[in-house]
C-alpha cells in the first residue's frame, strides 16, 4: 500500500500534514515529547520518568514488519504536533497509541490518525486494534467511542482496555464525513466572514485589479477593518497604506492578493508569518502558465500549508458575502452585488461576472459568491458543505469546468439537494475514460460526458444548459414556493404565445391542465382573476402589451394576485421587464414563454427527485464476493484483458445475475454434444478474440436444431474465422425486449452504470440512462422509466422489477471490484418471466490507486 502523505483540514478550518514517520524524525519527535505537558506525557506513557531520547528513537522506528507510525506536522519547519503508532502483537492484532500536542488537542488529529492507521493495518491483514488507556484519560476514550468503529471496552489491572476492528464500517465513514463537513465549513468561514481584510496590491489606479478590488470593498461598506497594502504609496484615497501585510495597524484575517505573479509566493509567506487565516489570490500566471506557473503554484501552496491558511484561487475574481453583518465585496467585478438567497460559485471569472450582472437584471440576489479560479485548495465540495448549513442560502448555483473529487461531490451534493436545490452548468463534454472504451457500453457512452450526467442524476443536481437557463431556474426557486407537481395552467391575452408555451411545457416534461386565453379587450382585473382561478401546481401568466394596458399596469395586477402555487410571468413587450415584479412580490419575469416553461421544468425535476430520492443502497446479502474476486485475481495475474466465457458467467452468477444456460465446446463435435445436452433449439457462437459485435460480424448462428445442423454451423464458423478459441452453445432465449445493462469504469467518477435499448443497433438507437454505482432499486426503476424503450417494455409485459434487480446487481459487482474496467450484458432479454443475460463481456484491468483515506480528500 502507498505511504500516507497528505494535507488534511482540521476542525477549525486550518491544515496540517500527515506522513509516515522515518528514523530521521527522531530529533523532532524528541522536541515534540519534551513539549508535552506532564499530564499528556503521563496519559501517553503511564509515567513521568520516561526517557525522552529513547522514546523518540522508538517512535521514529518507521515502517517495519512489526509496526507502523505516523506523524502530523505544521508550519514551514514541519514541526511535529502529533504522533500515532501501532505495534503488532500477533499477525491479526496490533496495539495502537497516540500523543497530541496540548495546544492541538480538540482539533480532530487523533481521529484522523486513527482512520489512516486503521486503513494501513487492514491492508496488512491486521483485523483488530487494541489500546490500554488510563481511566482518567477520558478524552482518548471519547476519541475511540466517537470514531464510529465498533468499540468494546472492559477493565483490567492496567487500566481500560479498548478493542475494535480495523475495517472502516459505515458508522465510521459517517463520522469521518461529519468531521470533514465541520472542517469545510470552518475553512470557508475564514474566507467569507473575516473581521479584517487586507488588499495586497491596492492601488490608486482605477483600472488595476488591486485598485478596483479595494474600491469595491470600500464602497460595499465592509463591516470590519480594511487595510490597503502597497509599499509604493502612503495613502490610497483616505486610507493609509501599509508597506506589507506584516505592518498593518491591526491583525489581518483575510488577504486579497492582486500583485504580479512572481511576487505572490513571497506575499503568501508574509501572510503566513502574520497569522492570516485565508487568502484570495486574484493574480493569474499559475496553472495556465506552463512549468514556471506550476512552480509558482507549488510555492504558493507550500506557503499556505506552512501557515495553515486556506486559499481561494489563484487566477480568480474574488469573493462576496452580502450578509448585512459582513458586507464583503472582495472582487474587481462590482461593489453593488445585490443581496439575496442564491449561493453562486464559478470556476470561470468571466462567467462569474456575467452571472452577477444577470442576477442584478433579474432582480434576484446572492447570499455569497466565489470565483474558484485554479481551485488549488478550496473547491466546490467545501462551498457546498458551507451552503448546506448556511441559513441565508436557499438555492445553490454552480458553474464547473472540472471536479477535484467527483465521488465526494456526489455524496455532498446529494446531501445538500435533499434540503435545497442545487443547479449546475458543467462545461466540457468529453470523458477520457469513455474514449478508451471498446465494449457496447463504452461505445454508447463515449460520445458525451455521460459520467457527469450520471453524477448529477444520482445526486439530484439539476443540470442547466447555459447561464440564462441557470439564472432563470434560480430566480424561480429562490422567489416562489416549490411546485407540488408538474400540472401547469397557462393564462394569456394572446393565442400564439399560449400555444408556444404549451409546446414548451410538454418539452420540459410538464402537463398543461388548462390554458385560458383572454381577449385583448379584457381588463387587468379579469386577467388577475383568471390567474387566481387556475387550479394547477403552477401558473404561467403571459401578457402581450396592447393599447388598453401597459406592462407596468399588468405587472401590478400580477403582484396583487394570491396563489398557493408558483407564479411565473411572461411579458412579451418592448423595453425592460417590469420593475414592480422585483419588489416585495418577487415574481420571476421572462421575455419569452419558452424560458418560463424551461425554468418551471427545472423546478419540477428537482421536486420529483427530492420526493423519490431513495436512501443509500443497502448491501446485497445473497452475493459471493470471494468467488468474484478470485476470477478477477486470476485475470489480473495474466495481465488482465477480456475474460473468457466461463469466467464471465462465473463472475455474473457470483452476484446473482441470471445468465442463459450455455455450454463451452472446443470442437464442432463437442458443440454438437453440448447442444444435445441442452436440448431443444440452440444458438451457436464463435469465440473470437477481441470481437465485440458478434452478430454483425457473422459469428452467431441462431435457431439450430439437431447435432448435424450444429456441426455444419460450427465448421462454417471455423472456415470463416480461422483458429477459434472454441464455441459457446446456448439455449435459445424466449422472445422479449432486447436491453443492455453495462458498466464503464471512469478513472475519477468510478463505475458508470448504463441501462439502454440493446441488441446490435444499440449505438444507433442511443436510448440510454446512466447513474453512478452503487444503485438502489428505486434508482434502477427510475432509469428504466426514463428510456424511450419503457413503452415497449410495458407493451411486452416485461418484468421491470427483474430488469431493475439486474441493474442493481451489476452496479454492486462493479462497485465492489474496481478491477472491472468494462462490463457489457447485451442483449438482456426482458420478458414477463424475468430478465436474462444472453451475451456478456468483461474487461479486467488493474484499478487506479486509491488515496489512503478517500473521505479526507477534496
Amino acid at each position: 500500500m502507498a505511504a500516507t502523505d497528505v494535507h488534511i483540514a482540521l476542525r477549525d478550518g486550518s491544515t496540517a500534514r500527515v506522513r509516515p514517520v522515518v528514523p530521521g524524525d527522531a530529533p523532532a519527535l524528541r522536541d515534540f515529547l519534551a513539549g508535552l505537558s506532564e499530564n499528556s506525557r503521563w496519559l501517553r506513557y503511564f509515567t513521568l520518568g520516561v526517557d525522552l531520547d529513547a522514546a523518540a528513537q522508538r517512535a521514529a522506528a518507521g515502517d517495519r514488519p512489526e509496526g507502523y507510525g505516523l506523524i502530523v506536522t505544521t508550519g514551514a519547519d514541519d514541526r511535529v504536533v502529533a504522533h500515532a503508532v501501532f505495534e503488532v502483537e500477533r499477525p491479526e492484532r496490533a496495539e495502537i497509541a497516540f500523543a497530541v500536542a496540548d495546544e492541538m488537542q480538540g482539533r480532530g488529529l487523533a481521529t484522523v490518525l486513527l482512520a489512516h492507521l486503521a486503513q494501513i493495518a487492514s491492508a496488512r491483514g491486521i483485523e483488530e486494534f487494541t489500546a490500554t488507556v488510563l481511566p482518567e484519560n477520558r478524552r482518548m476514550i471519547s476519541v475511540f467511542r466517537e470514531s464510529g468503529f465498533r468499540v468494546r471496552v472492559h477493565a483490567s489491572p492496567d487500566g481500560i482496555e479498548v478493542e475494535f476492528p480495523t475495517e472502516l464500517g459505515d458508522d465510521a465513514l459517517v463520522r469521518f464525513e461529519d468531521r470533514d463537513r465541520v472542517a469545510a465549513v470552518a475553512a470557508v468561514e475564514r474566507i467569507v466572514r473575516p473581521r479584517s481584510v487586507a488588499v495586497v496590491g491596492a492601488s490608486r489606479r482605477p483600472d488595476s485589479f488591486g485598485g478596483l478590488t479595494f474600491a469595491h470593498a470600500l464602497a460595499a461598506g465592509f463591516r470590519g477593518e480594511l487595510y490597503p497594502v502597497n509599499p509604493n504609496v502612503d495613502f490610497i484615497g483616505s486610507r493609509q497604506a501599509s508597506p506589507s501585510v506584516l505592518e498593518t495597524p491591526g491583525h489581518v484575517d483575510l488577504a486579497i492578493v492582486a500583485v504580479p505573479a512572481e511576487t505572490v509566493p513571497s506575499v503568501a509567506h508574509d501572510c503566513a508569518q502574520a497569522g492570516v487565516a485565508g487568502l484570495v489570490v486574484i493574480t493569474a500566471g499559475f496553472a495556465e502558465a506552463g512549468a514556471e506557473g506550476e512552480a509558482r503554484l507549488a510555492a504558493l501552496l507550500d506557503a499556505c500549508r506552512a501557515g495553515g491558511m486556506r486559499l481561494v484561487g489563484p487566477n480568480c475574481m474574488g469573493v462576496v458575502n452580502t450578509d448585512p453583518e459582513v458586507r464583503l465585496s472582495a472582487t474587481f467585478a462590482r461593489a453593488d452585488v445585490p443581496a439575496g438567497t442564491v449561493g453562486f460559485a464559478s470556476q470561470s471569472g468571466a462567467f462569474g461576472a456575467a452571472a452577477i450582472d444577470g442576477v442584478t437584471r433579474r432582480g434576484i440576489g446572492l447570499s455569497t459568491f466565489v470565483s474558484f479560479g485554479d481551485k488549488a485548495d478550496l473547491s466546490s465540495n467545501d462551498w457546498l458543505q458551507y451552503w448546506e448549513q448556511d441559513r441565508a442560502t436557499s438555492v445553490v448555483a454552480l458553474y464547473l469546468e472540472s471536479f477535484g473529487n467527483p465521488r465526494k461531490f456526489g455524496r455532498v451534493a446529494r446531501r445538500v439537494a435533499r434540503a435545497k436545490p442545487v443547479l449546475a452548468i458543467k462545461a466540457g463534454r468529453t470523458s477520457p475514460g469513455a474514449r478508451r472504451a471498446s465494449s457496447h457500453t463504452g461505445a454508447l457512452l463515449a460520445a458525451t460526458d455521460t459520467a457527469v450526467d450520471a453524477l448529477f442524476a444520482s445526486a439530484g443536481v439539476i443540470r442547466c444548459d447555459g447561464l440564462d437557463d441557470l439564472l432563470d431556474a434560480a430566480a424561480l426557486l429562490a422567489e416562489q414556493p416549490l411546485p407540488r407537481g408538474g400540472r401547469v395552467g397557462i393564462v394569456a391575452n394572446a393565442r400564439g404565445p399560449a400555444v408556444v408555451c404549451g409546446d414548451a411545457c410538454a418539452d420540459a416534461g410538464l402537463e398543461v391542465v388548462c390554458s385560458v386565453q383572454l381577449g385583448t379587450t379584457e381588463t387587468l382585473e379579469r386577467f388577475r382573476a383568471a390567474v387566481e382561478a387556475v387550479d394547477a401546481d403552477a401558473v404561467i401568466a403571459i401578457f402581450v402589451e396592447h393599447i388598453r394596458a401597459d406592462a407596468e399596469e399588468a405587472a401590478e395586477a400580477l403582484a396583487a394576485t394570491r396563489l398557493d402555487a408558483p407564479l411565473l410571468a411572461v411579458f412579451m413587450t418592448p423595453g425592460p421587464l417590469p420593475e414592480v415584479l422585483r419588489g416585495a412580490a418577487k415574481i420571476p419575469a421572462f421575455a419569452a414563454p419558452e424560458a418560463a416553461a424551461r425554468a418551471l421544468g427545472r423546478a419540477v425535476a428537482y421536486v420529483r427527485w427530492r420526493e423519490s430520492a431513495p436512501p443509500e443502497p443497502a448491501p446485497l446479502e445473497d452475493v459471493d464476493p470471494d468467488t468474484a474476486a478470485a476470477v478477477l485475481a486470476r485475470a489480473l495475474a495474466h495481465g488482465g484483458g477480456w475474460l473468457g466465457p466461463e469466467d464471465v458467467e462465473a463472475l455474473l452468477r457470483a452476484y446473482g445475475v441470471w445468465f442463459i444456460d450455455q455450454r463451452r465446446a472446443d470442437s464442432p463435435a463437442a458443440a454438437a454434444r453440448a447442444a444435445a445436452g441442452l436440448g431443444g433449439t440452440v444458438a451457436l457462437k464463435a469465440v473470437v478474440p477481441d470481437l465485440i459485435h458478434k452478430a454483425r460480424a457473422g459469428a452467431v448462428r441462431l435457431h439450430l436444431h439437431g447435432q448435424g445442423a450444429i456441426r455444419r454451423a460450427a465448421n462454417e464458423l471455423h472456415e470463416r474465422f480461422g483458429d477459434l478459441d472454441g464455441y459457446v452453445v446456448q439455449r435459445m432465449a424466449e422472445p422479449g425486449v432486447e436491453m443492455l445493462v453495462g458498466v464503464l469504469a471512469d478513472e475519477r467518477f468510478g463505475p458508470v452504470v448504463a441501462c439502454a435499448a440493446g441488441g446490435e443497433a444499440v449505438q444507433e438507437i442511443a436510448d440510454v440512462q446512466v447513474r453512478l454505482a452503487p444503485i438502489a432499486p428505486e434508482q434502477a426503476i427510475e432509469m428504466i422509466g426514463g428510456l424511450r424503450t419503457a413503452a415497449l417494455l410495458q407493451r411486452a409485459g416485461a418484468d421491470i422489477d427483474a430488469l431493475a434487480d439486474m441493474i442493481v446487481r451489476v452496479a454492486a459487482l462493479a462497485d465492489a471490484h474496481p478491477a472491472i474496467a468494462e462490463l457489457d450484458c447485451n442483449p438482456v432479454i426482458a420478458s414477463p418471466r424475468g430478465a436474462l443475460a444472453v451475451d456478456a463481456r468483461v474487461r479486467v484491468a488493474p484499478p487506479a490507486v486509491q488515496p489512503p483515506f478517500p473521505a479526507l480528500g477534496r
Side-chain angles (χ1 to χ4, degrees):
M1 180 174 179
T4 296
D5 192 342
V6 294
H7 285 83
I8 60 166
L10 304 181
R11 284 177 182 155
D12 64 353
S14 63
T15 62
R17 181 185 180 191
V18 178
R19 66 171 176 84
V21 68
V22 295
D25 289 321
L29 280 164
R30 205 274 183 202
D31 292 342
F32 162 67
L33 295 175
L36 293 175
S37 66
E38 288 188 353
N39 183 61
S40 292
R41 280 206 299 273
W42 166 258
L43 295 177
R44 168 63 179 88
Y45 292 105
F46 299 9
T47 178
L48 295 179
V50 61
D51 184 333
L52 295 182
D53 292 320
Q57 289 295 331
R58 287 195 302 272
D63 185 1
R64 59 205 191 283
E66 64 273 15
Y68 189 92
L70 291 171
I71 57 173
V72 179
T73 65
T74 62
D77 57 351
D78 238 13
R79 181 173 69 93
V80 176
V81 296
H83 172 256
V85 63
F86 68 72
E87 300 287 347
V88 178
E89 296 178 335
R90 50 181 187 263
E92 74 284 356
R93 182 182 172 103
E95 183 178 11
I96 190 170
F98 299 90
V100 178
D102 291 72
E103 73 275 12
M104 297 295 289
Q105 292 177 10
R107 298 195 194 184
L109 288 180
T111 305
V112 171
L113 289 169
L114 175 59
H116 283 276
L117 284 182
Q119 195 167 33
I120 292 164
S122 181
R124 292 186 173 190
I126 297 170
E127 299 175 358
E128 187 176 59
F129 273 159
T130 68
T132 302
V133 182
L134 289 174
E136 60 266 35
N137 194 354
R138 296 185 178 182
R139 183 187 292 271
M140 197 69 248
I141 295 171
S142 296
V143 167
F144 290 129
R145 285 197 178 279
E146 294 172 9
S147 67
F149 288 91
R150 298 187 300 276
V151 174
R152 303 182 302 278
V153 176
H154 60 87
S156 77
D158 296 324
I160 296 176
E161 303 295 333
V162 180
E163 300 172 345
F164 55 94
T166 59
E167 183 180 357
L168 286 170
D170 291 341
D171 288 344
L173 290 173
V174 168
R175 297 291 179 89
F176 286 114
E177 290 206 349
D178 286 344
R179 177 206 165 278
D180 181 66
R181 185 181 341 183
V182 170
V185 170
V188 172
E189 285 185 336
R190 289 172 164 231
I191 304 297
V192 298
R193 306 194 73 85
R195 291 165 298 180
S196 55
V197 173
V199 178
V200 185
S203 170
R204 296 170 180 169
R205 291 170 44 211
D207 60 344
S208 69
F209 289 132
L212 279 172
T213 301
F214 181 74
H216 290 164
L218 193 63
F222 176 57
R223 295 299 193 189
E225 296 294 333
L226 184 62
Y227 304 119
V229 175
N230 188 325
N232 301 314
V233 297
D234 293 329
F235 284 87
I236 296 177
S238 62
R239 298 290 180 108
Q240 184 172 2
S242 301
S244 84
V245 76
L246 294 168
E247 300 177 61
T248 55
H251 176 75
V252 174
D253 288 336
L254 176 68
I256 314 298
V257 180
V259 299
E262 61 271 16
T263 65
V264 168
S266 63
V267 167
H269 177 77
D270 287 348
C271 290
Q273 191 176 345
V276 173
L279 221 59
V280 176
V281 178
I282 290 173
T283 307
F286 292 85
E288 79 283 6
E292 187 178 356
E294 291 287 353
R296 282 193 208 107
L297 181 59
L300 170 61
L301 284 172
D302 285 346
C304 289
R305 288 166 177 166
M309 297 183 297
R310 305 313 301 268
L311 170 68
V312 172
N315 190 20
C316 75
M317 200 181 74
V319 296
V320 174
N321 183 357
T322 62
D323 184 337
E325 295 182 1
V326 180
R327 294 178 65 173
L328 174 67
S329 184
T331 172
F332 58 83
R334 61 192 298 166
D336 57 337
V337 178
T341 62
V342 178
F344 197 103
S346 176
Q347 202 167 339
S348 160
F351 201 96
I356 292 176
D357 290 341
V359 299
T360 303
R361 287 196 309 273
R362 285 167 173 79
I364 58 177
L366 302 178
S367 60
T368 36
F369 168 87
V370 60
S371 164
F372 294 137
D374 291 344
K375 207 166 57 169
D377 179 21
L378 293 176
S379 71
S380 55
N381 294 340
D382 301 300
W383 289 84
L384 276 171
Q385 295 189 96
Y386 172 78
W387 283 320
E388 179 184 15
Q389 56 80 50
D390 181 32
R391 294 183 179 179
T393 300
S394 63
V395 178
V396 173
L398 307 170
Y399 170 82
L400 303 171
E401 294 174 354
S402 64
F403 296 98
N405 186 334
R407 302 201 80 178
K408 180 177 178 180
F409 175 90
R411 294 194 303 271
V412 173
R414 180 182 178 87
R415 200 176 65 224
V416 177
R418 289 183 183 276
K420 53 188 74 175
V422 179
L423 306 167
I425 298 170
K426 170 59 176 69
R429 292 186 174 272
T430 58
S431 172
R435 281 199 299 269
R436 290 192 297 273
S438 52
S439 63
H440 287 286
T441 303
L444 187 64
L445 302 185
T448 63
D449 59 341
T450 46
V452 176
D453 288 334
L455 176 67
F456 285 176
S458 298
V461 175
I462 306 303
R463 188 170 193 174
C464 300
D465 294 328
L467 182 58
D468 284 336
D469 183 8
L470 179 124
L471 295 181
D472 287 345
L476 173 59
L477 289 163
E479 297 178 347
Q480 293 286 297
L482 289 174
R484 294 184 295 271
R487 299 168 61 254
V488 186
I490 300 171
V491 177
N493 67 344
R495 178 180 179 278
V499 174
V500 170
C501 187
D503 292 342
C505 285
D507 292 341
L510 306 171
E511 178 190 2
V512 178
V513 293
C514 74
S515 182
V516 179
Q517 181 187 333
L518 302 174
T520 56
T521 60
E522 293 286 356
T523 64
L524 291 178
E525 289 76 13
R526 169 67 178 141
F527 186 66
R528 171 187 164 185
V531 170
E532 292 181 333
V534 171
D535 181 15
D537 297 324
V539 180
I540 299 177
I542 305 172
F543 178 80
V544 179
E545 194 169 53
H546 55 81
I547 195 170
R548 292 186 56 125
D550 64 20
E552 289 296 336
E553 292 173 334
E556 289 175 0
L558 288 178
T561 56
R562 295 294 179 264
L563 280 177
D564 293 331
L567 173 61
L568 297 80
V570 177
F571 281 83
M572 303 182 71
T573 60
L577 294 171
E579 186 69 29
V580 66
L581 298 182
R582 304 179 188 180
K586 289 293 183 184
I587 298 172
F590 306 87
E594 300 94 325
R598 183 178 60 185
L600 182 57
R602 303 296 188 203
V604 170
Y606 169 67
V607 168
R608 287 171 175 165
W609 176 85
R610 197 165 78 165
E611 290 178 347
S612 62
E616 291 298 320
L620 299 176
E621 301 293 340
D622 55 342
V623 297
D624 185 357
D626 293 341
T627 294
V631 170
L632 297 170
R634 286 196 300 270
L636 288 172
H638 292 86
W642 294 100
L643 296 182
E646 298 100 327
D647 284 341
V648 170
E649 184 177 0
L651 185 68
L652 292 175
R653 289 190 184 279
Y655 271 72
V657 177
W658 288 93
F659 208 89
I660 196 164
D661 286 343
Q662 63 179 29
R663 303 286 189 275
R664 179 72 184 269
D666 296 327
S667 65
R673 291 193 297 273
L678 287 172
T681 304
V682 299
L684 180 68
K685 300 178 180 180
V687 180
V688 183
D690 300 323
L691 179 63
I692 300 173
H693 303 287
K694 296 186 182 70
R696 189 175 297 177
V700 179
R701 297 290 187 271
L702 303 176
H703 304 293
L704 301 176
H705 188 75
Q707 294 192 37
I710 299 295
R711 278 193 294 269
R712 285 192 298 273
N715 285 321
E716 290 172 3
L717 291 172
H718 185 270
E719 290 175 6
R720 178 163 186 167
F721 293 100
D723 289 336
L724 303 176
D725 284 350
Y727 305 90
V728 173
V729 184
Q730 291 183 335
R731 191 188 307 278
M732 284 297 299
E734 294 184 2
V737 180
E738 290 190 340
M739 301 297 295
L740 175 147
V741 176
V743 173
L744 178 65
D746 188 282
E747 292 173 355
R748 297 179 304 122
F749 290 78
V752 182
V753 183
C755 176
E760 285 301 309
V762 57
Q763 290 167 244
E764 290 78 6
I765 298 173
D767 181 20
V768 60
Q769 289 283 307
V770 290
R771 298 291 188 275
L772 296 185
I775 292 175
E778 297 89 343
Q779 290 174 292
I781 293 287
E782 181 185 53
M783 290 173 71
I784 298 167
L787 296 169
R788 300 191 303 275
T789 313
L792 183 59
L793 290 166
Q794 279 191 324
R795 286 197 297 272
D799 188 338
I800 302 298
D801 289 338
L803 180 59
D805 183 67
M806 180 179 288
I807 296 170
V808 169
R809 291 177 180 278
V810 166
L813 171 61
D815 189 54
H817 302 281
I820 296 174
E822 297 179 67
L823 188 156
D824 212 34
C825 295
N826 181 39
V828 172
I829 303 299
S831 70
R833 299 189 63 179
L836 195 65
V838 173
D839 198 8
R841 288 171 61 82
V842 177
R843 184 171 67 85
V844 177
V849 176
Q850 296 296 312
F853 187 56
L856 297 180
R858 288 196 301 115

